[in-house]
């Protein structure tokens, strides 16, 4: 008899969670900060599908892409800095844990799994949100985007998380919500569970050598915040 997804998860002694969009609903608040920022820089409001496609990418890559896409000359570094300021000052505090993902993390911790969070977010933001939502005591390592030179889809952040856990890559299972992140996991030669908005987005553990087709999501499962123009 084939194992259920939950039973397959239990086969891995080391577990790595992405944070934004995987453990926390913070992705929608990042989107709100992006739209508040681009308004100040003279861009139109960014479509949800476009923001979704940027999930997991470094801020500098996103700002350059936006300038190219809209043919607007702007200081990408200043855009990224302002987006971070807006997120931290106006939106970050609204992020909450997805109930199912938070419950799973706590269950795995209770089962004796070694757990890391690997996120592209900054360390200060990550610690604040994980502590605010009561998840920080359940992780053994936290790896953030400012600790690696090459962001997703490079494997660096996952490999560093495995190193912090003293874990071989082939014994790690990673939970991730973005296509870019899934590519990074594959590049790290790790197994994955694809999620979206805190829910499983696959019916089995996706192995490193497995061909995998992303699910298209055209609308959020949770309401999108509508920030006022700044």
């Amino acid at each position: 008899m084939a194992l259920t997804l939950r039973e397959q998860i239990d086969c891995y002694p080391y577990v790595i969670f992405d944070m934004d969009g995987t453990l926390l609903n913070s992705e929608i608040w990042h989107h709100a900060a992006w739209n508040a920022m681009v308004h100040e820089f003279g861009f139109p409001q960014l479509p949800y599908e476009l923001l979704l496609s940027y999930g997991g990418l470094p801020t500098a890559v996103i700002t350059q892409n936006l300038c190219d896409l809209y043919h607007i000359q702007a200081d990408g570094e200043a855009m990224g800095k302002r987006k971070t300021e807006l997120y931290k000052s106006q939106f970050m505090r609204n992020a909450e844990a997805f109930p199912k993902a938070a419950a799973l993390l706590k269950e795995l911790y209770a089962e004796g799994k070694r757990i890391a969070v690997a996120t592209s977010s900054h360390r200060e933001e990550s610690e604040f949100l994980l502590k605010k939502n009561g998840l920080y005591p359940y992780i053994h390592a936290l790896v953030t985007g400012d600790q690696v030179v090459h962001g997703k889809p490079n494997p660096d952040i996952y490999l560093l998380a495995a190193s912090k856990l003293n874990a071989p890559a082939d014994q790690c299972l990673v939970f991730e919500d973005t296509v870019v992140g899934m590519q990074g996991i594959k590049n790290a030669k790790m197994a994955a569970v694809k999620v979206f908005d805190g829910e499983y987005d696959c019916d089995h553990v996706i192995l490193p050598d497995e061909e995998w087709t992303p699910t298209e999501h055209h609308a959020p499962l949770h309401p999108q915040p509508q920030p006022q123009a700044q």
Side-chain angles (χ1 to χ4, degrees), residues 47-73:
Y48 171 73
E49 291 79 7
L50 178 64
L51 288 165
L52 193 64
S53 73
Y54 288 150
L57 290 174
T59 298
V61 173
I62 298 174
T63 55
Q64 183 60 57
N65 184 275
L66 288 173
C67 290
D68 294 342
L69 181 65
Y70 289 99
H71 306 290
I72 294 177
Q73 290 188 341

Side-chain angles (χ1 to χ4, degrees), residues 33-148:
W34 277 109
N35 267 317
M37 180 276 291
V38 296
H39 175 80
E40 295 182 1
F41 281 79
F43 290 74
Q45 181 164 325
L46 306 177
Y48 171 73
E49 291 79 7
L50 178 64
L51 288 165
L52 193 64
S53 73
Y54 288 150
L57 290 174
T59 298
V61 173
I62 298 174
T63 55
Q64 183 60 57
N65 184 275
L66 288 173
C67 290
D68 294 342
L69 181 65
Y70 289 99
H71 306 290
I72 294 177
Q73 290 188 341
D75 184 336
E77 185 176 350
M79 289 171 64
K81 182 178 179 181
R82 181 59 177 152
K83 181 267 172 181
T84 299
E85 290 172 349
L86 288 165
Y87 177 67
K88 291 171 68 174
S89 64
Q90 297 187 29
F91 301 108
M92 180 174 68
R93 69 179 68 92
N94 298 310
E96 297 180 346
F98 291 118
K100 289 185 180 179
L104 176 64
L105 183 147
K106 293 175 182 179
E107 288 172 14
L108 295 175
Y109 179 88
E111 292 171 8
K113 310 293 186 184
R114 296 282 296 173
I115 299 172
V117 168
T119 172
S120 297
S121 290
H122 300 293
R123 182 98 192 175
E124 181 184 359
E125 299 169 13
S126 304
E127 286 191 0
F128 171 82
L129 287 173
L130 291 169
K131 289 176 180 178
K132 169 186 175 290
N133 287 284
L135 300 180
Y136 198 75
Y138 298 93
I139 65 174
H140 302 95
L142 171 62
V143 178
T144 54
D146 38 20
Q147 292 179 267
V148 296

Side-chain angles (χ1 to χ4, degrees), residues 12-16 155 158-163 165-174 184-192 206-208:
Y12 290 84
Y14 304 98
V15 182
I16 301 170
Y158 306 109
L159 294 175
L160 182 56
S163 175
L165 295 177
N166 295 315
D170 63 359
Q171 294 184 36
C172 293
L173 178 64
V174 188
I185 297 166
K186 188 178 185 71
N187 291 335
K189 301 188 185 323
M190 295 179 180
I206 300 167
L207 300 177

